[in-house]
Amino acid sequence: MKMSERLAPNFMSHEFACKHCGKLPEKGMSTYLIVLLQLFRNAVGKPLIITSGYRCPVHNRNLGGASNSQHLKGTAVDILIPEGMTVDKMAEIADKIGFDGIGKYYKDNFLHVDVRGTRARWVG
């Protein structure tokens, strides 16, 4: 991967790179996803730590991800819940921002958000 590029005021391309191969999707991360993430960051008022962005097929399989995972398409991220916030509060803000897919993961304290084009809500 080339040097990290700034995708938004608070996000650099390396934050979204696959943890297995270090790559981003061929066409890059979804611009719409990045725009919503910046709005989300502004609304939360705290840094958002991306724990999983793009996943290559090998990495997605190794994690037991869905075969049609939005992570494979560069349209999803998992975000660690910042200190002083809760999964539910973050999900509420994500919903107001306009994310299509929102998955709450209480056990591992993270939130999945995506821009799949249709509404989806779940608890993992």
Side-chain angles (χ1 to χ4, degrees):
M1 186 172 78
K2 59 186 177 205
M3 279 182 54
S4 194
E5 298 173 48
R6 185 166 300 284
L7 302 178
N10 295 106
F11 296 101
M12 300 293 286
S13 59
H14 73 267
E15 296 178 78
F16 302 93
C18 177
K19 303 281 192 263
H20 173 258
C21 67
K23 294 182 180 173
L24 289 169
E26 197 175 306
K27 295 180 180 176
M29 294 300 288
S30 160
T31 302
Y32 185 49
L33 175 69
I34 301 301
V35 168
L36 290 187
L37 281 172
Q38 185 60 53
L39 292 172
F40 195 23
R41 163 63 171 88
N42 296 349
V44 171
K46 297 173 185 240
L48 299 181
I49 308 298
I50 309 296
T51 59
S52 186
Y54 170 67
R55 295 179 192 160
C56 72
V58 171
H59 188 50
N60 192 60
R61 251 191 324 275
N62 290 345
L63 292 177
S67 60
N68 63 341
S69 171
Q70 296 298 307
H71 288 279
L72 292 164
K73 303 169 186 174
T75 55
V77 296
D78 295 339
I79 300 167
L80 190 64
I81 302 302
E83 196 171 322
M85 298 293 284
T86 64
V87 171
D88 288 332
K89 183 63 180 168
M90 290 287 285
E92 182 185 313
I93 296 168
D95 187 58
K96 285 180 183 159
I97 296 295
F99 287 99
D100 297 329
I102 300 175
K104 300 178 190 180
Y105 292 82
Y106 296 101
K107 182 176 165 257
D108 296 314
N109 203 37
F110 76 90
L111 190 72
H112 167 102
V113 293
D114 67 54
V115 291
R116 66 184 60 206
T118 56
R119 183 180 162 86
R121 300 289 183 269
W122 69 94
V123 174

